[in-house]
Amino acid sequence: MTPEELDFILKNGEGYRTEFKERLSSSLAKELCAFANASGGTVFLGVSDDGKITGCTLDNSLKSNIQNLVANCQPPFSVDIRQEGNVALIEVFEAENKPVHCSEGLFLRQGANSQKLNRDQIIKFLSDEGLLHWDEQVFNDFDFDTLYSQKLLNTFLRKTGINTTLKPVDILSNLKLIKSRDGRNWFTNTGYLFFGQLPELAVSEMEITCALYKGTEKVHVLDRKDFGEDLISNIDNAVLFIMRNTRLRYEIKGVQRKDIPEVPEEAVRESIVNAVLHRDYMITGARVMIEIFDDRIEISNPGGLPKSLSPEEFGRKSVVRNPNIAAMLQRFGYIERMGTGIKRVNELCELNGNPKPRYEFTTFFTVIYDRESGTDPVPTQYRPSTGPVPDQVLRLLEILKEGEFSPVEIRNFLNLSHRQTFRKNYLHPALEDGLIERTIPDKPTSRNQRYRLTEKGRKLING
Protein backbone atom coordinates (compact mmCIF):
# COMPACT_ATOMS: atom_id res chain seq x y z
CA MET A 1 0.00 0.00 0.00
CA THR A 2 1.51 3.33 -1.04
CA PRO A 3 1.40 6.39 1.22
CA GLU A 4 -1.00 7.98 -1.27
CA GLU A 5 -3.38 4.99 -1.06
CA LEU A 6 -3.27 5.02 2.74
CA ASP A 7 -3.96 8.77 2.78
CA PHE A 8 -6.94 8.28 0.46
CA ILE A 9 -8.43 5.57 2.72
CA LEU A 10 -7.98 7.64 5.86
CA LYS A 11 -9.60 10.68 4.27
CA ASN A 12 -12.64 8.61 3.27
CA GLY A 13 -13.17 7.49 6.87
CA GLU A 14 -14.56 4.27 8.33
CA GLY A 15 -16.87 2.17 6.21
CA TYR A 16 -18.15 -1.30 5.45
CA ARG A 17 -14.61 -2.63 4.93
CA THR A 18 -12.53 -0.24 7.08
CA GLU A 19 -12.26 0.24 10.85
CA PHE A 20 -9.95 2.68 12.73
CA LYS A 21 -8.50 1.86 16.16
CA GLU A 22 -5.94 3.92 18.09
CA ARG A 23 -4.71 0.92 20.08
CA LEU A 24 -5.28 -2.77 20.66
CA SER A 25 -8.18 -3.61 23.00
CA SER A 26 -10.32 -6.64 23.82
CA SER A 27 -13.16 -5.16 21.74
CA LEU A 28 -11.06 -5.76 18.63
CA ALA A 29 -12.31 -9.38 18.55
CA LYS A 30 -15.84 -8.32 17.64
CA GLU A 31 -14.54 -6.20 14.74
CA LEU A 32 -12.56 -9.14 13.40
CA CYS A 33 -15.60 -11.45 13.65
CA ALA A 34 -17.86 -8.87 12.02
CA PHE A 35 -15.54 -8.57 9.01
CA ALA A 36 -15.14 -12.36 8.76
CA ASN A 37 -18.93 -12.82 8.74
CA ALA A 38 -19.37 -10.17 6.04
CA SER A 39 -17.14 -9.60 3.01
CA GLY A 40 -13.86 -9.11 4.86
CA GLY A 41 -12.20 -5.81 5.71
CA THR A 42 -9.20 -4.09 7.29
CA VAL A 43 -8.59 -2.76 10.81
CA PHE A 44 -6.13 0.17 10.91
CA LEU A 45 -4.31 0.29 14.27
CA GLY A 46 -2.83 3.66 15.17
CA VAL A 47 -5.61 5.75 13.59
CA SER A 48 -8.18 7.87 15.45
CA ASP A 49 -11.90 7.82 14.64
CA ASP A 50 -11.52 10.99 12.57
CA GLY A 51 -8.81 9.41 10.38
CA LYS A 52 -5.72 11.00 11.95
CA ILE A 53 -2.61 8.87 12.38
CA THR A 54 -1.61 8.48 16.03
CA GLY A 55 0.93 5.79 15.27
CA CYS A 56 1.31 2.09 16.06
CA THR A 57 4.38 -0.16 15.82
CA LEU A 58 3.81 -3.80 15.02
CA ASP A 59 6.31 -5.56 17.30
CA ASN A 60 6.30 -9.25 18.17
CA SER A 61 4.28 -8.70 21.34
CA LEU A 62 1.49 -6.84 19.53
CA LYS A 63 1.43 -9.37 16.71
CA SER A 64 1.16 -12.22 19.22
CA ASN A 65 -1.76 -10.49 21.03
CA ILE A 66 -3.61 -10.02 17.75
CA GLN A 67 -3.07 -13.66 16.82
CA ASN A 68 -4.44 -14.72 20.24
CA LEU A 69 -7.60 -12.67 19.64
CA VAL A 70 -8.06 -14.33 16.26
CA ALA A 71 -7.46 -17.80 17.75
CA ASN A 72 -10.18 -17.23 20.35
CA CYS A 73 -12.74 -16.70 17.59
CA GLN A 74 -14.47 -19.80 16.26
CA PRO A 75 -14.36 -21.30 13.70
CA PRO A 76 -10.92 -20.17 12.46
CA PHE A 77 -10.56 -17.58 9.71
CA SER A 78 -7.61 -16.00 7.92
CA VAL A 79 -5.95 -12.62 8.57
CA ASP A 80 -2.86 -10.84 7.29
CA ILE A 81 -1.00 -8.63 9.81
CA ARG A 82 1.55 -6.11 8.53
CA GLN A 83 3.09 -2.67 9.07
CA GLU A 84 2.32 0.18 6.68
CA GLY A 85 4.29 3.30 7.63
CA ASN A 86 3.19 4.36 11.12
CA VAL A 87 0.06 2.19 10.98
CA ALA A 88 -0.44 -1.52 11.71
CA LEU A 89 -2.94 -3.26 9.40
CA ILE A 90 -5.04 -6.33 10.17
CA GLU A 91 -6.58 -7.52 6.91
CA VAL A 92 -9.47 -9.90 7.61
CA PHE A 93 -10.61 -12.29 4.89
CA GLU A 94 -14.21 -13.42 4.51
CA ALA A 95 -14.66 -16.65 6.46
CA GLU A 96 -15.18 -19.85 4.51
CA ASN A 97 -17.11 -21.38 7.44
CA LYS A 98 -19.72 -19.01 8.80
CA PRO A 99 -20.88 -17.89 11.28
CA VAL A 100 -17.79 -16.82 13.20
CA HIS A 101 -18.28 -15.82 16.84
CA CYS A 102 -16.19 -14.54 19.71
CA SER A 103 -16.73 -14.61 23.48
CA GLU A 104 -18.96 -11.53 23.23
CA GLY A 105 -21.33 -13.07 20.70
CA LEU A 106 -21.93 -13.07 16.95
CA PHE A 107 -21.19 -9.83 15.08
CA LEU A 108 -21.78 -8.72 11.50
CA ARG A 109 -20.46 -5.68 9.67
CA GLN A 110 -23.34 -3.39 8.72
CA GLY A 111 -22.31 -0.12 7.13
CA ALA A 112 -19.50 1.40 9.20
CA ASN A 113 -20.46 -0.47 12.38
CA SER A 114 -20.10 -3.95 13.81
CA GLN A 115 -23.56 -5.03 14.94
CA LYS A 116 -24.19 -7.74 17.52
CA LEU A 117 -26.95 -10.01 16.21
CA ASN A 118 -29.94 -11.06 18.29
CA ARG A 119 -31.74 -14.37 17.84
CA ASP A 120 -33.94 -13.31 14.92
CA GLN A 121 -31.02 -11.61 13.19
CA ILE A 122 -28.89 -14.73 13.59
CA ILE A 123 -31.63 -16.82 11.99
CA LYS A 124 -31.86 -14.32 9.12
CA PHE A 125 -28.07 -14.34 8.73
CA LEU A 126 -27.96 -18.13 8.57
CA SER A 127 -30.78 -18.13 6.03
CA ASP A 128 -29.03 -15.55 3.84
CA GLU A 129 -25.86 -17.62 3.91
CA GLY A 130 -27.77 -20.76 2.88
CA LEU A 131 -26.98 -22.44 6.21
CA LEU A 132 -30.57 -22.56 7.43
CA HIS A 133 -33.59 -23.33 5.26
CA TRP A 134 -37.02 -22.31 6.48
CA ASP A 135 -38.70 -25.07 4.52
CA GLU A 136 -36.75 -27.76 6.42
CA GLN A 137 -37.75 -26.54 9.87
CA VAL A 138 -40.46 -28.19 12.00
CA PHE A 139 -43.85 -26.45 12.07
CA ASN A 140 -44.45 -26.27 15.83
CA ASP A 141 -47.92 -24.72 16.14
CA PHE A 142 -49.93 -27.92 15.63
CA ASP A 143 -48.97 -31.58 15.34
CA PHE A 144 -49.42 -33.76 12.27
CA ASP A 145 -52.66 -35.43 13.40
CA THR A 146 -54.32 -32.01 13.81
CA LEU A 147 -53.30 -30.65 10.42
CA TYR A 148 -53.10 -33.58 8.01
CA SER A 149 -55.42 -33.52 4.97
CA GLN A 150 -56.11 -36.90 3.33
CA LYS A 151 -57.76 -35.09 0.41
CA LEU A 152 -54.56 -33.21 -0.44
CA LEU A 153 -52.46 -36.36 -0.20
CA ASN A 154 -54.89 -38.19 -2.51
CA THR A 155 -54.54 -35.36 -5.03
CA PHE A 156 -50.76 -35.63 -4.85
CA LEU A 157 -50.79 -39.41 -5.37
CA ARG A 158 -53.14 -39.07 -8.33
CA LYS A 159 -51.12 -36.31 -10.03
CA THR A 160 -47.81 -38.11 -9.55
CA GLY A 161 -49.17 -41.54 -10.50
CA ILE A 162 -47.97 -43.12 -7.25
CA ASN A 163 -49.78 -46.32 -6.28
CA THR A 164 -48.87 -47.43 -2.77
CA THR A 165 -50.28 -49.25 0.24
CA LEU A 166 -48.09 -47.31 2.68
CA LYS A 167 -49.78 -45.38 5.46
CA PRO A 168 -49.97 -41.60 4.97
CA VAL A 169 -47.52 -40.94 7.79
CA ASP A 170 -45.01 -43.31 6.16
CA ILE A 171 -45.46 -41.73 2.72
CA LEU A 172 -44.83 -38.26 4.07
CA SER A 173 -41.94 -39.43 6.24
CA ASN A 174 -40.26 -40.93 3.17
CA LEU A 175 -40.70 -37.57 1.45
CA LYS A 176 -38.93 -35.90 4.43
CA LEU A 177 -42.05 -33.85 5.20
CA ILE A 178 -42.56 -35.19 8.74
CA LYS A 179 -40.26 -35.30 11.75
CA SER A 180 -40.86 -37.30 14.91
CA ARG A 181 -40.30 -35.75 18.32
CA ASP A 182 -41.38 -36.77 21.83
CA GLY A 183 -43.45 -39.62 20.44
CA ARG A 184 -45.48 -37.34 18.14
CA ASN A 185 -45.27 -36.52 14.44
CA TRP A 186 -44.80 -32.96 13.24
CA PHE A 187 -44.98 -31.47 9.76
CA THR A 188 -42.01 -29.61 8.41
CA ASN A 189 -42.95 -26.21 7.01
CA THR A 190 -42.88 -27.73 3.50
CA GLY A 191 -45.17 -30.59 4.51
CA TYR A 192 -47.58 -28.16 6.09
CA LEU A 193 -47.76 -25.91 3.02
CA PHE A 194 -48.59 -28.84 0.73
CA PHE A 195 -50.67 -31.13 2.94
CA GLY A 196 -51.91 -29.08 5.90
CA GLN A 197 -55.53 -28.06 6.43
CA LEU A 198 -56.34 -24.34 6.45
CA PRO A 199 -52.69 -23.28 6.29
CA GLU A 200 -53.48 -19.56 6.17
CA LEU A 201 -54.58 -19.64 9.81
CA ALA A 202 -51.01 -20.20 10.91
CA VAL A 203 -48.75 -19.10 8.06
CA SER A 204 -50.29 -15.97 6.56
CA GLU A 205 -47.01 -15.23 4.75
CA MET A 206 -47.71 -18.08 2.33
CA GLU A 207 -50.87 -16.44 0.98
CA ILE A 208 -51.00 -15.00 -2.52
CA THR A 209 -52.81 -11.69 -2.91
CA CYS A 210 -54.18 -10.77 -6.35
CA ALA A 211 -55.46 -7.31 -7.25
CA LEU A 212 -56.95 -5.72 -10.37
CA TYR A 213 -56.63 -1.94 -10.67
CA LYS A 214 -58.24 0.64 -12.88
CA GLY A 215 -55.51 2.69 -14.51
CA THR A 216 -51.77 2.45 -14.00
CA GLU A 217 -51.52 3.27 -10.27
CA LYS A 218 -52.59 1.57 -7.02
CA VAL A 219 -55.60 3.83 -6.51
CA HIS A 220 -58.86 2.28 -7.75
CA VAL A 221 -59.18 -1.43 -6.92
CA LEU A 222 -61.64 -3.24 -9.18
CA ASP A 223 -61.14 -6.70 -7.70
CA ARG A 224 -59.05 -8.39 -5.01
CA LYS A 225 -58.61 -12.00 -3.98
CA ASP A 226 -56.52 -13.47 -1.14
CA PHE A 227 -55.71 -17.11 -1.73
CA GLY A 228 -54.73 -19.02 1.42
CA GLU A 229 -55.13 -22.70 0.71
CA ASP A 230 -52.41 -25.28 0.06
CA LEU A 231 -49.52 -24.15 -2.14
CA ILE A 232 -50.71 -25.90 -5.32
CA SER A 233 -54.24 -24.49 -5.04
CA ASN A 234 -52.84 -21.01 -4.45
CA ILE A 235 -50.76 -21.20 -7.62
CA ASP A 236 -53.66 -22.48 -9.74
CA ASN A 237 -56.06 -19.85 -8.40
CA ALA A 238 -53.56 -17.05 -9.02
CA VAL A 239 -53.11 -18.15 -12.64
CA LEU A 240 -56.90 -18.20 -13.13
CA PHE A 241 -57.14 -14.68 -11.69
CA ILE A 242 -54.71 -13.36 -14.29
CA MET A 243 -56.33 -15.18 -17.20
CA ARG A 244 -59.83 -14.01 -16.19
CA ASN A 245 -58.71 -10.39 -16.00
CA THR A 246 -56.69 -10.10 -19.20
CA ARG A 247 -57.77 -9.97 -22.81
CA LEU A 248 -58.27 -12.79 -25.28
CA ARG A 249 -57.90 -12.37 -29.01
CA TYR A 250 -58.83 -14.73 -31.81
CA GLU A 251 -57.29 -16.01 -34.99
CA ILE A 252 -59.83 -17.41 -37.45
CA LYS A 253 -58.87 -19.92 -40.11
CA GLY A 254 -61.69 -21.24 -42.24
CA VAL A 255 -64.39 -22.25 -39.77
CA GLN A 256 -61.95 -22.82 -36.89
CA ARG A 257 -61.12 -20.26 -34.25
CA LYS A 258 -57.92 -20.19 -32.20
CA ASP A 259 -57.95 -18.35 -28.88
CA ILE A 260 -54.75 -16.46 -28.10
CA PRO A 261 -54.33 -14.99 -24.58
CA GLU A 262 -52.93 -11.52 -24.03
CA VAL A 263 -50.15 -13.11 -21.98
CA PRO A 264 -49.20 -16.80 -22.30
CA GLU A 265 -50.70 -18.82 -19.48
CA GLU A 266 -47.67 -21.09 -19.08
CA ALA A 267 -45.37 -18.07 -18.77
CA VAL A 268 -47.35 -16.45 -15.94
CA ARG A 269 -47.68 -19.84 -14.25
CA GLU A 270 -43.91 -20.21 -14.35
CA SER A 271 -43.49 -16.73 -12.85
CA ILE A 272 -45.98 -17.45 -10.05
CA VAL A 273 -44.31 -20.78 -9.28
CA ASN A 274 -40.95 -18.98 -9.11
CA ALA A 275 -42.41 -16.36 -6.75
CA VAL A 276 -43.73 -19.05 -4.40
CA LEU A 277 -40.53 -21.08 -4.63
CA HIS A 278 -37.98 -18.31 -4.18
CA ARG A 279 -39.71 -16.02 -1.70
CA ASP A 280 -38.09 -15.51 1.70
CA TYR A 281 -40.57 -17.05 4.13
CA MET A 282 -38.64 -15.66 7.10
CA ILE A 283 -39.81 -12.17 6.17
CA THR A 284 -43.06 -11.68 8.06
CA GLY A 285 -45.85 -9.26 7.17
CA ALA A 286 -45.31 -9.65 3.40
CA ARG A 287 -46.63 -12.03 0.78
CA VAL A 288 -46.52 -12.87 -2.91
CA MET A 289 -48.41 -10.17 -4.82
CA ILE A 290 -50.01 -10.28 -8.29
CA GLU A 291 -51.15 -6.88 -9.51
CA ILE A 292 -52.86 -6.18 -12.83
CA PHE A 293 -52.77 -2.62 -14.19
CA ASP A 294 -53.97 -1.24 -17.51
CA ASP A 295 -50.43 -1.25 -18.90
CA ARG A 296 -48.68 -4.10 -17.05
CA ILE A 297 -48.88 -7.18 -14.82
CA GLU A 298 -46.54 -7.36 -11.82
CA ILE A 299 -45.72 -10.56 -9.94
CA SER A 300 -43.55 -9.96 -6.88
CA ASN A 301 -42.25 -11.89 -3.89
CA PRO A 302 -40.45 -10.82 -0.70
CA GLY A 303 -36.73 -11.45 -0.48
CA GLY A 304 -35.18 -10.18 -3.70
CA LEU A 305 -32.30 -12.16 -5.16
CA PRO A 306 -30.56 -14.67 -2.85
CA LYS A 307 -27.32 -13.26 -1.44
CA SER A 308 -25.18 -15.71 -3.42
CA LEU A 309 -26.77 -14.75 -6.77
CA SER A 310 -25.68 -11.52 -8.45
CA PRO A 311 -27.87 -9.58 -10.95
CA GLU A 312 -25.32 -10.47 -13.66
CA GLU A 313 -25.82 -14.19 -12.98
CA PHE A 314 -29.62 -13.95 -12.95
CA GLY A 315 -31.19 -16.12 -15.64
CA ARG A 316 -28.00 -18.15 -16.11
CA LYS A 317 -27.42 -19.55 -12.61
CA SER A 318 -29.94 -21.00 -10.18
CA VAL A 319 -29.79 -20.61 -6.41
CA VAL A 320 -32.63 -22.34 -4.53
CA ARG A 321 -33.74 -20.59 -1.36
CA ASN A 322 -36.23 -23.35 -0.45
CA PRO A 323 -34.90 -26.72 -1.71
CA ASN A 324 -37.64 -28.87 -0.12
CA ILE A 325 -40.41 -26.77 -1.67
CA ALA A 326 -38.57 -27.06 -4.99
CA ALA A 327 -38.46 -30.84 -4.68
CA MET A 328 -42.22 -31.02 -4.07
CA LEU A 329 -43.06 -28.65 -6.93
CA GLN A 330 -40.94 -30.83 -9.18
CA ARG A 331 -42.86 -33.93 -8.06
CA PHE A 332 -46.11 -32.15 -8.90
CA GLY A 333 -44.69 -31.33 -12.34
CA TYR A 334 -44.72 -27.56 -11.77
CA ILE A 335 -40.99 -27.18 -12.40
CA GLU A 336 -38.65 -29.19 -14.60
CA ARG A 337 -34.94 -28.41 -14.45
CA MET A 338 -33.60 -25.73 -12.17
CA GLY A 339 -32.20 -22.66 -13.89
CA THR A 340 -34.31 -22.89 -17.07
CA GLY A 341 -37.41 -20.97 -15.95
CA ILE A 342 -36.42 -17.49 -17.15
CA LYS A 343 -35.38 -18.75 -20.57
CA ARG A 344 -38.62 -20.69 -20.90
CA VAL A 345 -40.72 -17.64 -19.98
CA ASN A 346 -38.91 -15.56 -22.60
CA GLU A 347 -39.49 -18.20 -25.28
CA LEU A 348 -43.19 -18.53 -24.44
CA CYS A 349 -43.64 -14.76 -24.66
CA GLU A 350 -41.86 -14.59 -28.00
CA LEU A 351 -44.03 -17.38 -29.45
CA ASN A 352 -47.16 -15.56 -28.25
CA GLY A 353 -46.01 -12.27 -29.77
CA ASN A 354 -45.27 -10.60 -26.42
CA PRO A 355 -42.14 -8.67 -25.44
CA LYS A 356 -39.90 -10.35 -22.89
CA PRO A 357 -40.87 -9.53 -19.30
CA ARG A 358 -38.79 -7.10 -17.27
CA TYR A 359 -37.22 -7.89 -13.88
CA GLU A 360 -36.54 -5.70 -10.85
CA PHE A 361 -34.45 -6.64 -7.79
CA THR A 362 -34.92 -4.76 -4.53
CA THR A 363 -36.01 -6.20 -1.18
CA PHE A 364 -38.65 -7.75 -3.46
CA PHE A 365 -38.17 -9.68 -6.68
CA THR A 366 -40.59 -8.46 -9.36
CA VAL A 367 -41.36 -9.69 -12.88
CA ILE A 368 -43.28 -7.25 -15.10
CA TYR A 369 -45.31 -8.22 -18.16
CA ASP A 370 -46.08 -5.21 -20.33
CA ARG A 371 -49.63 -4.92 -21.65
CA GLU A 372 -50.77 -2.98 -24.68
CA SER A 373 -52.98 -0.47 -22.94
CA GLY A 374 -56.08 0.48 -24.88
CA THR A 375 -56.05 -2.48 -27.26
CA ASP A 376 -59.60 -3.37 -28.22
CA PRO A 377 -60.26 -6.91 -26.90
CA VAL A 378 -63.17 -7.48 -29.31
CA PRO A 379 -62.00 -9.81 -32.11
CA THR A 380 -62.29 -8.85 -35.71
CA GLN A 381 -65.36 -10.18 -37.49
CA TYR A 382 -63.55 -10.62 -40.79
CA ARG A 383 -63.41 -14.24 -41.95
CA PRO A 384 -60.92 -14.79 -44.77
CA SER A 385 -62.39 -15.67 -48.15
CA THR A 386 -65.91 -14.69 -47.04
CA GLY A 387 -67.31 -11.29 -47.95
CA PRO A 388 -65.48 -8.11 -48.94
CA VAL A 389 -61.88 -7.52 -47.87
CA PRO A 390 -61.82 -5.01 -44.98
CA ASP A 391 -60.34 -1.57 -45.57
CA GLN A 392 -57.49 -2.20 -43.09
CA VAL A 393 -56.33 -5.26 -45.09
CA LEU A 394 -56.48 -3.24 -48.31
CA ARG A 395 -54.30 -0.57 -46.68
CA LEU A 396 -51.76 -3.25 -45.77
CA LEU A 397 -51.74 -4.55 -49.37
CA GLU A 398 -51.18 -1.03 -50.72
CA ILE A 399 -48.07 -0.71 -48.58
CA LEU A 400 -46.66 -4.08 -49.65
CA LYS A 401 -47.16 -3.09 -53.30
CA GLU A 402 -43.97 -1.11 -52.85
CA GLY A 403 -41.86 -4.06 -51.65
CA GLU A 404 -40.99 -6.22 -48.64
CA PHE A 405 -41.23 -4.69 -45.14
CA SER A 406 -40.80 -5.74 -41.51
CA PRO A 407 -43.73 -5.59 -39.02
CA VAL A 408 -42.27 -2.47 -37.41
CA GLU A 409 -41.92 -0.71 -40.76
CA ILE A 410 -45.49 -1.61 -41.74
CA ARG A 411 -46.85 -0.36 -38.40
CA ASN A 412 -45.01 2.92 -38.91
CA PHE A 413 -46.55 3.34 -42.36
CA LEU A 414 -49.99 2.61 -40.87
CA ASN A 415 -49.30 4.87 -37.87
CA LEU A 416 -50.26 2.06 -35.47
CA SER A 417 -48.83 1.94 -31.94
CA HIS A 418 -50.38 -1.36 -30.79
CA ARG A 419 -48.96 -4.61 -32.09
CA GLN A 420 -52.02 -6.68 -31.18
CA THR A 421 -54.31 -4.39 -33.16
CA PHE A 422 -51.95 -4.65 -36.13
CA ARG A 423 -51.75 -8.43 -35.98
CA LYS A 424 -55.45 -9.02 -35.33
CA ASN A 425 -56.97 -6.59 -37.84
CA TYR A 426 -54.29 -6.34 -40.53
CA LEU A 427 -51.59 -9.00 -40.56
CA HIS A 428 -53.36 -12.23 -39.62
CA PRO A 429 -56.44 -11.80 -41.86
CA ALA A 430 -54.17 -11.10 -44.85
CA LEU A 431 -51.99 -14.11 -44.04
CA GLU A 432 -54.93 -16.45 -43.52
CA ASP A 433 -56.50 -15.44 -46.82
CA GLY A 434 -53.23 -15.99 -48.69
CA LEU A 435 -52.89 -12.33 -49.72
CA ILE A 436 -49.43 -11.92 -48.18
CA GLU A 437 -46.64 -14.28 -47.10
CA ARG A 438 -43.59 -14.36 -44.85
CA THR A 439 -40.16 -14.15 -46.41
CA ILE A 440 -38.91 -16.68 -43.81
CA PRO A 441 -41.86 -19.11 -43.64
CA ASP A 442 -40.21 -21.70 -41.37
CA LYS A 443 -39.37 -19.10 -38.67
CA PRO A 444 -42.52 -17.06 -38.01
CA THR A 445 -41.03 -15.20 -35.01
CA SER A 446 -37.64 -14.39 -36.55
CA ARG A 447 -36.41 -10.85 -35.93
CA ASN A 448 -35.43 -10.65 -39.59
CA GLN A 449 -38.95 -11.54 -40.73
CA ARG A 450 -40.45 -9.47 -43.55
CA TYR A 451 -43.71 -9.66 -45.47
CA ARG A 452 -44.58 -9.43 -49.18
CA LEU A 453 -47.58 -9.80 -51.48
CA THR A 454 -48.51 -13.18 -52.88
CA GLU A 455 -49.70 -13.52 -56.46
CA LYS A 456 -53.27 -13.55 -55.12
CA GLY A 457 -52.68 -10.35 -53.19
CA ARG A 458 -50.99 -8.67 -56.11
CA LYS A 459 -53.92 -9.49 -58.41
CA LEU A 460 -56.41 -8.18 -55.87
CA ILE A 461 -54.67 -4.87 -55.27
CA ASN A 462 -53.89 -4.29 -58.97
CA GLY A 463 -57.49 -5.05 -59.96
Side-chain angles (χ1 to χ4, degrees):
M1 181 181 295
T2 66
E4 291 77 16
E5 289 173 333
L6 176 61
D7 182 63
F8 177 79
I9 292 172
L10 299 183
K11 285 181 178 178
N12 276 274
E14 293 180 315
Y16 178 62
R17 296 177 64 92
T18 55
E19 175 73 21
F20 300 157
K21 292 283 185 183
E22 290 195 59
R23 63 186 65 86
L24 180 67
S25 66
S26 59
S27 66
L28 178 62
K30 69 177 185 180
E31 310 294 351
L32 302 178
C33 285
F35 280 134
N37 283 325
S39 303
T42 304
V43 177
F44 293 76
L45 287 178
V47 179
S48 63
D49 289 342
D50 58 2
K52 294 180 179 179
I53 296 177
T54 58
C56 178
T57 300
L58 184 63
D59 55 25
N60 289 334
S61 175
L62 176 59
K63 190 170 185 177
S64 176
N65 288 334
I66 295 172
Q67 290 172 335
N68 287 336
L69 285 176
V70 174
N72 288 328
C73 300
Q74 295 296 326
F77 57 94
S78 299
V79 299
D80 178 44
I81 307 170
R82 64 185 186 274
Q83 186 81 42
E84 294 285 353
N86 293 327
V87 178
L89 269 59
I90 310 172
E91 184 177 1
V92 183
F93 299 97
E94 181 176 357
E96 293 183 2
N97 299 311
K98 300 178 184 180
V100 173
H101 64 89
C102 62
S103 59
E104 296 183 58
L106 196 155
F107 292 82
L108 179 66
R109 195 70 178 180
Q110 296 179 339
N113 298 303
S114 297
Q115 178 71 40
K116 185 175 183 179
L117 303 185
N118 58 33
R119 176 185 177 278
D120 291 342
Q121 290 170 329
I122 291 174
I123 292 174
K124 179 67 167 59
F125 171 77
L126 294 175
S127 176
D128 289 343
E129 294 294 331
L131 302 173
L132 176 67
H133 297 292
W134 177 90
D135 60 342
E136 296 176 349
Q137 305 307 302
V138 171
F139 181 75
N140 291 309
D141 290 16
F142 303 97
D143 66 10
F144 168 77
D145 293 330
T146 303
L147 296 174
Y148 164 66
S149 170
Q150 181 65 46
K151 178 182 177 181
L152 293 176
L153 180 60
N154 289 341
T155 299
F156 167 72
L157 295 176
R158 185 178 67 255
K159 286 187 175 182
T160 55
I162 296 175
N163 187 8
T164 179
T165 57
L166 287 176
K167 295 179 181 179
V169 68
D170 294 327
I171 296 172
L172 297 174
S173 293
N174 287 331
L175 293 172
K176 309 300 182 185
L177 301 179
I178 291 178
K179 292 185 179 181
S180 296
R181 190 179 61 199
D182 301 327
R184 297 165 69 185
N185 293 316
W186 301 82
F187 268 127
T188 64
N189 285 327
T190 299
Y192 176 66
L193 294 185
F194 283 92
F195 300 109
Q197 300 182 68
L198 301 176
E200 80 282 3
L201 294 179
V203 188
S204 61
E205 287 76 29
M206 58 79 59
E207 291 183 345
I208 299 179
T209 293
C210 300
L212 172 67
Y213 299 97
K214 180 181 180 181
T216 59
E217 302 293 334
K218 298 182 183 183
V219 180
H220 302 293
V221 181
L222 299 178
D223 190 16
R224 170 176 170 154
K225 293 289 188 297
D226 295 303
F227 298 116
E229 301 178 54
D230 61 282
L231 219 57
I232 295 299
S233 296
N234 285 353
I235 292 169
D236 291 344
N237 287 329
V239 173
L240 287 173
F241 184 90
I242 291 179
M243 304 317 294
R244 281 198 304 264
N245 289 289
T246 51
R247 303 179 182 95
L248 185 69
R249 62 185 175 90
Y250 311 130
E251 282 188 359
I252 302 172
K253 186 174 184 179
V255 295
Q256 295 184 341
R257 188 184 79 179
K258 180 181 179 182
D259 297 345
I260 301 178
E262 181 182 350
V263 287
E265 181 174 343
E266 287 306 308
V268 297
R269 181 183 297 277
E270 185 82 30
S271 295
I272 293 169
V273 168
N274 285 339
V276 167
L277 169 59
H278 295 297
R279 74 146 291 170
D280 187 345
Y281 287 90
M282 290 188 179
I283 298 178
T284 59
R287 58 187 65 181
V288 172
M289 294 286 299
I290 295 172
E291 299 169 292
I292 303 176
F293 302 87
D294 283 358
D295 62 345
R296 68 194 186 280
I297 300 168
E298 295 187 3
I299 301 172
S300 59
N301 61 271
L305 288 179
K307 182 180 179 182
S308 55
L309 183 65
S310 68
E312 293 75 25
E313 295 171 319
F314 172 73
R316 297 185 293 106
K317 178 182 175 183
S318 177
V319 176
V320 182
R321 183 176 267 133
N322 301 292
N324 280 11
I325 293 177
M328 286 305 300
L329 288 171
Q330 189 167 26
R331 291 179 183 275
F332 270 98
Y334 277 54
I335 59 176
E336 295 177 0
R337 298 182 303 275
M338 301 308 299
T340 62
I342 302 303
K343 181 180 178 182
R344 185 164 178 262
V345 166
N346 291 340
E347 290 176 348
L348 288 167
C349 287
E350 183 176 359
L351 288 172
N352 198 62
N354 299 89
K356 294 178 182 179
R358 296 177 285 123
Y359 300 93
E360 294 181 355
F361 320 120
T362 57
T363 53
F364 277 70
F365 175 90
T366 304
V367 53
I368 304 168
Y369 289 86
D370 289 319
R371 303 180 67 193
E372 296 200 22
S373 179
T375 300
D376 184 3
V378 180
T380 177
Q381 298 302 308
Y382 170 58
R383 290 176 179 267
S385 299
T386 62
V389 179
D391 290 342
Q392 59 263 35
V393 174
L394 292 175
R395 289 177 60 197
L396 172 61
L397 300 183
E398 286 287 347
I399 290 171
L400 293 179
K401 260 178 79 171
E402 306 303 321
E404 300 175 358
F405 297 103
S406 70
V408 173
E409 290 171 333
I410 298 171
R411 282 170 54 203
N412 288 338
F413 287 133
L414 293 169
N415 196 26
L416 284 174
S417 59
H418 301 302
R419 284 177 295 177
Q420 287 186 12
T421 299
F422 166 62
R423 290 180 179 135
K424 181 178 66 176
N425 293 336
Y426 294 79
L427 190 62
H428 291 152
L431 281 169
E432 296 297 334
D433 209 19
L435 301 173
I436 66 172
E437 63 184 5
R438 299 182 178 94
T439 58
I440 313 176
D442 59 334
K443 295 182 179 180
T445 60
S446 171
R447 292 185 178 182
N448 298 320
Q449 188 65 262
R450 301 172 77 81
Y451 293 87
R452 63 191 172 200
L453 290 175
T454 62
E455 188 62 26
K456 180 180 178 181
R458 193 171 301 281
K459 286 182 180 179
L460 175 65
I461 201 65
N462 290 330

